[in-house]
Amino acid sequence: FQGIFVLGLPYALLHSGYSGLFLIILAAALCCYTGKILIACLYEENEDGQLIRVRDTYEDIANACCKKLSPRLGGIVVNVTQVMELIMTCILYLVVSGNLLSHSFPYVPVNEKTWSAIAFVTLLPCVFIKTLKIISKLSQLCSLVHFIIILVVMTYCLTQIHQWSWAKFRLSIEFEKFLVSVGVIVFSYTSQIFLPTLEGNMKNPGEFRCMLNWTHFFACILKTTFALTAFLTWGEETKEVITDNLPSFLQTLVNLCLLTKALLSYPLPFFAATEIVYACISRGNHSNYRSPLFALGVRASFLLLTLLMAMFIPHFALLMGLTGSVTGAAMTFLLPSLFHLKLKWKTLSFLEKCADISVCILGFLCSFAGIICSIKGLIEAFG
């Protein structure tokens, strides 16, 4: 929950004002709720009234909901959405790597796109990753670097507390930029893709709901505190990536730490996306699609795709907002509530049905409005 995209939250507050603080809290509550109902869709009651886990993945839930139309239609939709979100995440890591390098070495006559390509070279070994064992070690280092970054930024902000003023918050907001901020905030909480696997691997799955409550609570506190202190420090001068606001003596150090974190974070979504695609392609009986060489080709193709996309869309906050709108809102709000209504309609109370329908409508509106505004923002950014 405390990934590199937390750095975009102060910028989201710049364009959402006081409502942004409310949105960070609301998004935590809604994401926690949809996480619970998504896991509930994995279970069915047996003849004795006991809950039995009959499904294992997000794809299984989708297929169960769409089995009357087509046995695999739901799974295809979910897999496409998952791959889009994971690949967009990889692209964002490359975009932010280029941004960080350009600000760390401003005197080098190289633009952000070229820096992204240089960062890309260090990621080429990702095509040889076959298991999560290596990625887990990289993720441990990534977490350590992240806490160092947050500590440095927060410490600097607290030294500027004498300059803080609540007057920096906007009372009036621009609707389009506000919707992009919604996408940024939603994207910073998305985790539904990983929840079925996480719950299935817990030592005591019965504690899942309690775990989800506490993790979202602490994530909300940390995000609100970080975004608030950073915005109160820089106000209208808040930039897309908050570390760009730091003084030069800290900026280079923090940016290099962030670069390390971004590069260490890249392998996980990349591996997950390529595994989904490879599993879908090799599901048939074609032995050629199961060869190690073909798997290597799939990973290499996806690696190149992320570089090309990063080169053409070098706008961190806008791309994050678009991703949050297109896939984040769908996977986090829209699909879990639809699946829960479909599979549990007969056992849900009236209030539960109202809650699911409300979340479903909210997810649709967030997706639709956010897509329109983010695309418009990208078009304007390209001139």
Side-chain angles (χ1 to χ4, degrees), residues 21-32 189 220 333 362:
L21 294 174
F22 173 72
L23 282 171
I24 293 174
I25 299 170
L26 179 63
L30 291 177
C31 289
C32 183
Y189 277 108
C220 178
F333 298 139
L362 179 65

Side-chain angles (χ1 to χ4, degrees), residues 285-362:
N285 296 319
H286 303 289
S287 58
N288 291 337
Y289 293 155
R290 298 181 182 179
S291 68
L293 188 61
F294 180 76
L296 189 67
V298 170
R299 291 194 288 269
S301 299
F302 268 74
L303 198 66
L304 184 59
L305 174 65
T306 61
L307 173 65
L308 293 175
M309 290 291 287
M311 298 285 279
F312 285 108
I313 312 179
H315 295 279
F316 179 70
L318 287 173
L319 183 58
M320 185 163 63
L322 179 60
T323 305
S325 300
V326 177
T327 61
M331 297 295 288
T332 305
F333 298 139
L334 189 61
L335 294 180
S337 54
L338 280 175
F339 293 161
H340 195 231
L341 286 169
K342 172 68 176 176
L343 294 174
K344 305 291 183 179
W345 179 264
K346 294 180 180 179
T347 60
L348 294 178
S349 66
F350 176 74
L351 289 178
E352 287 174 324
K353 290 177 182 177
C354 289
D356 284 356
I357 292 171
S358 299
V359 172
C360 183
I361 293 172
L362 179 65

